[in-house]
Amino acid sequence: MSETVVVGGGLVGTLIALRLAESGHTVRVLDRDRPGREASIAAAGILAAQSEGARPGPAFELAFESLGLHAALDEELRATTGAGSGYVKVGALELANSDAHRESMVKTTAWQRDRGLAVDVYDATMLCLMAPGVNPRFAGALGFPDDAVVDPTALMAGALAAAAARGVRFEHGVSVLEVLAAGGRTTGVRTDQGVRGADTVVLCAGAWSALIGGGLADPRLVRPARGQIAEVTLHPVPFATILHAAGGYLVPRASGRVCIGSTMEDVGFERGTTVGGVRTLLDRAVEVVPALASAALNQTWSGFRPMTPDGLPLVGALGIDGLFVATGHHRSGIVLAPITATMVRDLIVHGRRHPHLDALDPLRFKGSSPA
Protein backbone atom coordinates (compact mmCIF):
# COMPACT_ATOMS: atom_id res chain seq x y z
CA MET A 1 0.00 0.00 0.00
CA SER A 2 1.44 3.39 -1.04
CA GLU A 3 2.26 5.92 1.69
CA THR A 4 1.51 9.50 0.67
CA VAL A 5 2.18 12.81 2.40
CA VAL A 6 0.13 15.81 1.33
CA VAL A 7 1.73 19.08 2.45
CA GLY A 8 -1.06 21.56 3.16
CA GLY A 9 -4.58 20.94 4.40
CA GLY A 10 -6.49 23.56 2.47
CA LEU A 11 -9.34 22.59 0.17
CA VAL A 12 -7.07 21.51 -2.68
CA GLY A 13 -4.85 19.39 -0.44
CA THR A 14 -7.78 17.87 1.44
CA LEU A 15 -9.65 16.87 -1.73
CA ILE A 16 -6.46 15.37 -3.20
CA ALA A 17 -5.99 13.39 0.02
CA LEU A 18 -9.61 12.21 -0.18
CA ARG A 19 -9.29 11.04 -3.79
CA LEU A 20 -5.99 9.26 -3.14
CA ALA A 21 -7.39 7.54 -0.06
CA GLU A 22 -10.35 6.35 -2.13
CA SER A 23 -7.79 4.85 -4.53
CA GLY A 24 -6.07 2.83 -1.83
CA HIS A 25 -3.27 5.17 -0.70
CA THR A 26 -2.43 5.59 2.95
CA VAL A 27 -2.51 9.39 3.26
CA ARG A 28 -1.17 11.78 5.87
CA VAL A 29 -1.85 15.53 5.60
CA LEU A 30 0.62 17.88 7.27
CA ASP A 31 -0.41 21.48 7.88
CA ARG A 32 1.54 24.34 9.44
CA ASP A 33 -1.68 25.62 11.06
CA ARG A 34 -5.06 23.93 11.30
CA PRO A 35 -6.33 22.47 8.01
CA GLY A 36 -8.36 24.93 5.97
CA ARG A 37 -7.56 27.98 8.08
CA GLU A 38 -5.82 30.00 5.37
CA ALA A 39 -7.05 30.91 1.86
CA SER A 40 -9.73 28.22 1.71
CA ILE A 41 -12.08 29.68 4.32
CA ALA A 42 -11.01 33.25 3.56
CA ALA A 43 -12.54 32.93 0.08
CA ALA A 44 -15.94 34.26 -0.92
CA GLY A 45 -16.96 30.92 -2.44
CA ILE A 46 -17.75 32.20 -5.94
CA LEU A 47 -17.88 29.57 -8.69
CA ALA A 48 -17.73 32.10 -11.49
CA ALA A 49 -16.54 29.91 -14.34
CA GLN A 50 -18.35 31.92 -17.01
CA SER A 51 -18.62 35.44 -15.58
CA GLU A 52 -14.86 35.46 -14.90
CA GLY A 53 -14.03 33.52 -18.07
CA ALA A 54 -12.47 36.37 -20.02
CA ARG A 55 -11.21 34.26 -22.91
CA PRO A 56 -11.16 30.67 -24.19
CA GLY A 57 -8.27 28.49 -23.10
CA PRO A 58 -7.15 26.11 -20.34
CA ALA A 59 -8.10 28.43 -17.47
CA PHE A 60 -11.70 28.62 -18.66
CA GLU A 61 -11.97 24.95 -19.64
CA LEU A 62 -10.74 23.77 -16.26
CA ALA A 63 -12.96 26.18 -14.31
CA PHE A 64 -16.01 25.21 -16.36
CA GLU A 65 -15.35 21.49 -15.93
CA SER A 66 -14.75 21.94 -12.21
CA LEU A 67 -17.95 23.96 -11.84
CA GLY A 68 -19.83 20.85 -12.94
CA LEU A 69 -17.96 18.75 -10.38
CA HIS A 70 -19.05 21.00 -7.51
CA ALA A 71 -22.68 19.93 -7.73
CA ALA A 72 -21.63 16.27 -7.51
CA LEU A 73 -19.25 17.06 -4.65
CA ASP A 74 -22.08 18.71 -2.71
CA GLU A 75 -24.18 15.54 -3.07
CA GLU A 76 -21.19 13.37 -2.14
CA LEU A 77 -20.56 15.33 1.05
CA ARG A 78 -24.24 15.18 2.00
CA ALA A 79 -24.19 11.41 1.60
CA THR A 80 -20.89 10.98 3.45
CA THR A 81 -21.10 13.56 6.24
CA GLY A 82 -24.76 14.60 6.37
CA ALA A 83 -23.95 18.19 5.40
CA GLY A 84 -23.25 19.70 2.01
CA SER A 85 -21.02 22.46 0.69
CA GLY A 86 -23.69 25.15 0.48
CA TYR A 87 -23.69 24.82 -3.31
CA VAL A 88 -26.39 26.97 -4.94
CA LYS A 89 -26.68 27.89 -8.60
CA VAL A 90 -27.49 31.57 -8.04
CA GLY A 91 -26.10 32.87 -11.33
CA ALA A 92 -24.05 36.01 -11.84
CA LEU A 93 -24.51 39.45 -13.36
CA GLU A 94 -21.68 41.52 -14.82
CA LEU A 95 -22.90 45.10 -14.72
CA ALA A 96 -22.35 47.54 -17.61
CA ASN A 97 -21.46 51.20 -17.04
CA SER A 98 -22.92 52.30 -20.38
CA ASP A 99 -24.63 51.00 -23.49
CA ALA A 100 -21.25 50.91 -25.22
CA HIS A 101 -19.76 48.96 -22.33
CA ARG A 102 -22.61 46.45 -22.51
CA GLU A 103 -22.13 45.98 -26.25
CA SER A 104 -18.40 45.50 -25.72
CA MET A 105 -19.09 42.78 -23.15
CA VAL A 106 -21.49 41.11 -25.58
CA LYS A 107 -18.72 40.95 -28.18
CA THR A 108 -16.08 39.63 -25.78
CA THR A 109 -18.36 36.79 -24.63
CA ALA A 110 -19.55 35.81 -28.12
CA TRP A 111 -17.30 32.75 -28.01
CA GLN A 112 -19.26 31.43 -25.02
CA ARG A 113 -22.57 31.79 -26.83
CA ASP A 114 -21.03 30.18 -29.93
CA ARG A 115 -20.37 27.13 -27.75
CA GLY A 116 -23.98 27.03 -26.66
CA LEU A 117 -23.33 28.33 -23.15
CA ALA A 118 -25.96 30.45 -21.45
CA VAL A 119 -25.19 34.17 -21.59
CA ASP A 120 -28.14 36.54 -21.20
CA VAL A 121 -28.13 40.22 -22.17
CA TYR A 122 -30.15 42.69 -20.09
CA ASP A 123 -30.82 46.35 -20.75
CA ALA A 124 -31.30 48.80 -17.86
CA THR A 125 -35.02 48.08 -17.55
CA MET A 126 -34.50 44.33 -17.42
CA LEU A 127 -31.64 44.74 -14.94
CA CYS A 128 -33.93 46.70 -12.63
CA LEU A 129 -36.36 43.78 -12.65
CA MET A 130 -33.60 41.19 -12.15
CA ALA A 131 -31.82 43.01 -9.32
CA PRO A 132 -33.96 45.90 -8.06
CA GLY A 133 -31.36 47.05 -5.55
CA VAL A 134 -28.70 47.80 -8.17
CA ASN A 135 -27.86 51.45 -8.76
CA PRO A 136 -30.02 52.67 -11.69
CA ARG A 137 -26.98 54.34 -13.23
CA PHE A 138 -25.93 50.96 -14.65
CA ALA A 139 -26.94 50.49 -18.29
CA GLY A 140 -27.65 46.77 -18.12
CA ALA A 141 -25.72 43.59 -17.58
CA LEU A 142 -24.69 40.24 -18.90
CA GLY A 143 -26.21 37.30 -17.05
CA PHE A 144 -24.52 33.95 -16.46
CA PRO A 145 -27.25 31.74 -14.97
CA ASP A 146 -25.04 28.67 -14.50
CA ASP A 147 -22.50 30.30 -12.19
CA ALA A 148 -22.87 29.31 -8.54
CA VAL A 149 -21.66 29.78 -4.99
CA VAL A 150 -20.58 27.55 -2.12
CA ASP A 151 -20.10 28.25 1.57
CA PRO A 152 -16.31 27.89 1.99
CA THR A 153 -16.57 27.03 5.68
CA ALA A 154 -19.16 24.31 5.08
CA LEU A 155 -17.27 22.98 2.06
CA MET A 156 -14.00 22.82 3.97
CA ALA A 157 -15.64 21.12 6.97
CA GLY A 158 -17.32 18.58 4.73
CA ALA A 159 -14.14 17.80 2.82
CA LEU A 160 -12.19 17.30 6.06
CA ALA A 161 -14.88 15.00 7.48
CA ALA A 162 -15.09 12.97 4.26
CA ALA A 163 -11.31 12.57 4.10
CA ALA A 164 -11.11 11.52 7.74
CA ALA A 165 -13.89 8.98 7.13
CA ARG A 166 -11.70 7.51 4.37
CA GLY A 167 -8.81 7.11 6.80
CA VAL A 168 -6.80 10.22 5.98
CA ARG A 169 -4.69 11.29 8.98
CA PHE A 170 -4.30 15.01 9.68
CA GLU A 171 -1.42 16.51 11.64
CA HIS A 172 -1.71 20.23 12.35
CA GLY A 173 0.93 22.58 13.67
CA VAL A 174 3.61 20.74 11.66
CA SER A 175 5.81 22.84 9.37
CA VAL A 176 7.36 21.01 6.44
CA LEU A 177 10.87 22.31 5.85
CA GLU A 178 12.16 20.13 3.03
CA VAL A 179 11.27 17.33 0.65
CA LEU A 180 13.67 14.41 1.01
CA ALA A 181 14.89 12.25 -1.88
CA ALA A 182 17.46 9.55 -2.54
CA GLY A 183 18.52 8.06 -5.85
CA GLY A 184 16.12 10.32 -7.75
CA ARG A 185 13.18 9.11 -5.70
CA THR A 186 11.12 10.88 -3.02
CA THR A 187 11.54 9.38 0.43
CA GLY A 188 9.44 11.78 2.53
CA VAL A 189 9.68 15.19 4.16
CA ARG A 190 11.65 16.80 6.95
CA THR A 191 9.50 18.81 9.36
CA ASP A 192 10.10 20.87 12.48
CA GLN A 193 8.99 17.76 14.36
CA GLY A 194 11.08 15.16 12.58
CA VAL A 195 11.01 13.16 9.36
CA ARG A 196 7.84 11.72 7.85
CA GLY A 197 8.58 8.96 5.36
CA ALA A 198 6.54 8.63 2.16
CA ASP A 199 6.62 7.11 -1.30
CA THR A 200 4.66 10.06 -2.70
CA VAL A 201 4.66 13.73 -1.67
CA VAL A 202 2.19 16.31 -2.97
CA LEU A 203 2.94 19.98 -2.24
CA CYS A 204 -0.32 21.88 -1.68
CA ALA A 205 0.84 24.56 0.75
CA GLY A 206 -0.77 27.50 -1.03
CA ALA A 207 1.18 30.75 -0.82
CA TRP A 208 3.90 28.97 1.20
CA SER A 209 4.50 26.20 -1.36
CA ALA A 210 7.66 27.66 -2.92
CA LEU A 211 9.32 28.12 0.49
CA ILE A 212 9.66 24.36 1.05
CA GLY A 213 13.16 23.09 0.25
CA GLY A 214 13.65 20.44 -2.40
CA GLY A 215 10.40 21.34 -4.17
CA LEU A 216 9.76 24.27 -6.50
CA ALA A 217 13.24 25.66 -5.88
CA ASP A 218 12.36 29.29 -6.78
CA PRO A 219 10.27 31.30 -4.30
CA ARG A 220 9.17 33.61 -7.12
CA LEU A 221 7.05 30.82 -8.64
CA VAL A 222 4.39 31.25 -5.95
CA ARG A 223 3.88 34.56 -4.17
CA PRO A 224 1.19 35.69 -1.73
CA ALA A 225 -1.42 38.18 -2.90
CA ARG A 226 -3.39 39.50 0.06
CA GLY A 227 -7.12 39.86 -0.40
CA GLN A 228 -9.36 41.72 2.04
CA ILE A 229 -13.08 40.92 2.29
CA ALA A 230 -15.96 42.44 4.26
CA GLU A 231 -19.30 40.97 5.30
CA VAL A 232 -22.41 43.03 6.04
CA THR A 233 -26.03 42.25 6.94
CA LEU A 234 -29.08 43.84 5.37
CA HIS A 235 -32.74 42.71 5.52
CA PRO A 236 -33.90 42.07 2.92
CA VAL A 237 -30.98 41.76 0.49
CA PRO A 238 -32.21 43.50 -2.68
CA PHE A 239 -30.50 41.10 -5.08
CA ALA A 240 -30.22 37.32 -5.28
CA THR A 241 -27.29 36.74 -7.60
CA ILE A 242 -23.54 37.38 -7.70
CA LEU A 243 -22.84 40.94 -8.85
CA HIS A 244 -19.59 41.85 -10.62
CA ALA A 245 -18.97 45.59 -10.91
CA ALA A 246 -16.58 48.41 -10.09
CA GLY A 247 -13.64 46.02 -9.92
CA GLY A 248 -15.18 43.87 -7.20
CA TYR A 249 -18.08 41.57 -6.39
CA LEU A 250 -21.06 41.17 -4.09
CA VAL A 251 -22.24 37.73 -3.00
CA PRO A 252 -25.63 37.26 -1.29
CA ARG A 253 -25.63 34.70 1.49
CA ALA A 254 -28.22 33.27 3.83
CA SER A 255 -29.70 35.30 6.72
CA GLY A 256 -29.29 38.65 4.99
CA ARG A 257 -25.52 38.50 4.77
CA VAL A 258 -23.59 39.96 1.84
CA CYS A 259 -19.93 39.19 1.14
CA ILE A 260 -18.01 42.11 -0.40
CA GLY A 261 -14.68 41.57 -2.11
CA SER A 262 -11.96 41.88 -2.76
CA THR A 263 -8.65 43.71 -2.75
CA MET A 264 -5.50 42.30 -4.31
CA GLU A 265 -2.32 43.50 -2.64
CA ASP A 266 1.35 42.66 -3.08
CA VAL A 267 2.41 43.03 0.57
CA GLY A 268 4.13 39.71 1.18
CA PHE A 269 2.87 37.77 4.19
CA GLU A 270 1.60 40.86 6.02
CA ARG A 271 -1.65 39.80 7.67
CA GLY A 272 -4.70 41.82 8.54
CA THR A 273 -7.17 44.29 7.13
CA THR A 274 -6.60 48.00 6.63
CA VAL A 275 -8.76 51.10 6.81
CA GLY A 276 -7.96 51.85 3.18
CA GLY A 277 -8.72 48.32 2.00
CA VAL A 278 -12.05 48.07 3.83
CA ARG A 279 -13.04 51.58 2.75
CA THR A 280 -12.41 50.60 -0.88
CA LEU A 281 -14.63 47.54 -0.49
CA LEU A 282 -17.48 49.41 1.20
CA ASP A 283 -17.36 52.34 -1.23
CA ARG A 284 -17.59 49.91 -4.16
CA ALA A 285 -20.48 48.07 -2.55
CA VAL A 286 -22.54 51.19 -1.90
CA GLU A 287 -21.85 52.42 -5.42
CA VAL A 288 -23.30 49.19 -6.82
CA VAL A 289 -26.16 48.72 -4.33
CA PRO A 290 -26.92 52.03 -2.55
CA ALA A 291 -29.08 50.36 0.12
CA LEU A 292 -25.94 48.73 1.52
CA ALA A 293 -25.08 52.10 3.07
CA SER A 294 -27.49 51.19 5.90
CA ALA A 295 -26.21 47.62 6.30
CA ALA A 296 -24.57 46.47 9.53
CA LEU A 297 -20.86 45.69 9.23
CA ASN A 298 -20.36 42.17 10.58
CA GLN A 299 -16.70 41.39 10.05
CA THR A 300 -13.66 41.89 7.86
CA TRP A 301 -10.86 39.46 7.12
CA SER A 302 -8.00 38.76 4.75
CA GLY A 303 -6.23 35.81 3.18
CA PHE A 304 -3.23 35.06 1.00
CA ARG A 305 -3.93 33.90 -2.53
CA PRO A 306 -1.07 31.87 -4.08
CA MET A 307 -0.11 33.75 -7.26
CA THR A 308 2.09 32.48 -10.12
CA PRO A 309 3.91 34.55 -12.77
CA ASP A 310 1.39 33.74 -15.52
CA GLY A 311 -1.75 33.39 -13.40
CA LEU A 312 -2.16 29.66 -14.03
CA PRO A 313 -1.78 27.05 -11.26
CA LEU A 314 1.21 24.74 -10.92
CA VAL A 315 -0.10 21.18 -11.12
CA GLY A 316 1.86 18.05 -11.97
CA ALA A 317 5.14 16.22 -11.44
CA LEU A 318 8.28 18.02 -10.31
CA GLY A 319 10.92 15.89 -12.01
CA ILE A 320 11.65 13.60 -9.06
CA ASP A 321 9.85 10.27 -8.88
CA GLY A 322 7.02 10.52 -6.39
CA LEU A 323 7.05 14.34 -6.07
CA PHE A 324 4.03 16.35 -7.24
CA VAL A 325 2.64 19.83 -6.72
CA ALA A 326 -0.81 21.43 -6.82
CA THR A 327 -0.71 25.11 -5.93
CA GLY A 328 -0.83 28.63 -7.34
CA HIS A 329 -4.59 28.74 -7.94
CA HIS A 330 -4.72 32.45 -7.04
CA ARG A 331 -8.37 33.61 -7.13
CA SER A 332 -9.67 30.27 -8.42
CA GLY A 333 -8.75 27.86 -5.63
CA ILE A 334 -12.33 27.07 -4.63
CA VAL A 335 -13.72 26.59 -8.12
CA LEU A 336 -10.69 24.59 -9.33
CA ALA A 337 -10.28 22.35 -6.28
CA PRO A 338 -12.43 19.42 -7.50
CA ILE A 339 -10.82 19.21 -10.96
CA THR A 340 -7.36 19.63 -9.45
CA ALA A 341 -7.96 16.71 -7.11
CA THR A 342 -9.17 14.58 -10.01
CA MET A 343 -6.17 15.48 -12.18
CA VAL A 344 -3.64 14.75 -9.43
CA ARG A 345 -5.30 11.45 -8.51
CA ASP A 346 -5.40 10.34 -12.13
CA LEU A 347 -1.74 11.28 -12.63
CA ILE A 348 -0.50 9.53 -9.47
CA VAL A 349 -2.72 6.47 -9.48
CA HIS A 350 -3.25 5.81 -13.19
CA GLY A 351 -0.49 7.75 -14.93
CA ARG A 352 -3.28 9.48 -16.87
CA ARG A 353 -2.86 13.10 -17.93
CA HIS A 354 -5.76 15.51 -18.24
CA PRO A 355 -5.83 17.24 -21.67
CA HIS A 356 -5.07 20.63 -20.10
CA LEU A 357 -2.43 19.45 -17.64
CA ASP A 358 0.42 20.53 -19.93
CA ALA A 359 -0.63 24.17 -19.54
CA LEU A 360 -0.22 23.81 -15.76
CA ASP A 361 3.18 22.07 -15.91
CA PRO A 362 5.10 23.25 -12.83
CA LEU A 363 8.35 23.03 -14.79
CA ARG A 364 7.19 25.43 -17.51
CA PHE A 365 9.34 28.27 -16.16
CA LYS A 366 12.51 26.16 -16.06
CA GLY A 367 15.40 27.96 -17.73
CA SER A 368 13.63 31.33 -17.63
CA SER A 369 13.41 34.05 -15.02
CA PRO A 370 9.94 34.31 -13.46
CA ALA A 371 8.51 37.82 -13.48
Side-chain angles (χ1 to χ4, degrees):
M1 185 177 292
S2 181
E3 179 82 23
T4 298
V5 163
V6 174
V7 182
L11 184 62
V12 169
T14 298
L15 288 181
I16 287 173
L18 171 61
R19 299 304 177 219
L20 290 175
E22 290 172 340
S23 300
H25 282 232
T26 299
V27 185
R28 183 198 309 259
V29 176
L30 306 179
D31 196 279
R32 55 188 296 277
D33 193 353
R34 298 189 67 86
R37 300 304 300 176
E38 292 290 351
S40 295
I41 64 166
I46 298 175
L47 308 181
Q50 283 188 247
S51 56
E52 294 187 350
R55 60 185 66 87
F60 173 81
E61 299 298 339
L62 289 165
F64 189 72
E65 183 177 351
S66 202
L67 172 62
L69 296 177
H70 267 280
L73 178 60
D74 179 60
E75 294 180 2
E76 176 186 348
L77 295 181
R78 289 181 187 279
T80 304
T81 70
S85 64
Y87 172 87
V88 184
K89 190 187 287 189
V90 297
L93 291 173
E94 183 178 358
L95 305 185
N97 295 316
S98 64
D99 290 340
H101 183 205
R102 186 183 69 240
E103 292 308 309
S104 174
M105 292 193 301
V106 169
K107 291 178 182 178
T108 58
T109 55
W111 61 274
Q112 291 194 27
R113 289 187 297 278
D114 290 344
R115 287 184 48 171
L117 304 180
V119 182
D120 301 319
V121 182
Y122 302 109
D123 62 17
T125 301
M126 298 166 70
L127 174 61
C128 183
L129 296 174
M130 284 286 297
V134 168
N135 192 326
R137 80 161 184 83
F138 288 101
L142 294 193
F144 303 88
D146 292 327
D147 280 356
V149 296
V150 292
D151 180 333
T153 300
L155 173 57
M156 191 69 238
L160 288 168
R166 280 285 184 176
V168 176
R169 291 170 292 165
F170 289 89
E171 294 185 33
H172 61 84
V174 178
S175 294
V176 174
L177 307 175
E178 180 185 13
V179 177
L180 303 176
R185 175 79 201 177
T186 301
T187 60
V189 295
R190 181 170 63 87
T191 79
D192 60 350
Q193 298 179 30
V195 171
R196 303 291 191 274
D199 307 301
T200 304
V201 173
V202 189
L203 299 179
C204 305
W208 291 266
S209 295
L211 303 181
I212 296 169
L216 289 169
D218 190 335
R220 293 174 296 177
L221 291 179
V222 183
R223 296 167 48 228
R226 187 174 70 182
Q228 299 184 48
I229 295 180
E231 183 188 82
V232 302
T233 297
L234 181 68
H235 294 285
V237 176
F239 60 96
T241 188
I242 303 163
L243 300 179
H244 295 282
Y249 56 77
L250 301 175
V251 184
R253 296 203 185 281
S255 305
R257 294 175 295 139
V258 176
C259 186
I260 304 168
S262 152
T263 65
M264 188 168 72
E265 305 162 78
D266 188 3
V267 294
F269 288 101
E270 183 179 331
R271 291 190 181 275
T273 56
T274 65
V275 170
V278 173
R279 178 179 178 178
T280 296
L281 296 176
L282 299 181
D283 284 349
R284 284 177 185 167
V286 173
E287 167 65 16
V288 176
V289 178
L292 289 175
S294 61
L297 180 61
N298 293 342
Q299 59 178 326
T300 62
W301 67 90
S302 68
F304 298 116
R305 307 180 187 96
M307 181 171 59
T308 66
D310 62 2
L312 289 174
L314 307 174
V315 181
L318 277 174
I320 299 174
D321 284 350
L323 179 57
F324 302 86
V325 65
T327 190
H329 293 77
H330 198 205
R331 298 177 59 195
S332 303
I334 297 293
V335 68
L336 289 177
I339 189 62
T340 300
T342 298
M343 289 191 295
V344 172
R345 181 217 40 214
D346 288 351
L347 186 61
I348 292 174
V349 177
H350 306 295
R352 186 167 62 233
R353 297 181 62 83
H354 188 279
H356 293 296
L357 195 59
D358 287 348
L360 312 184
D361 186 349
L363 300 179
R364 64 185 180 271
F365 300 106
K366 194 172 183 178
S368 64
S369 177

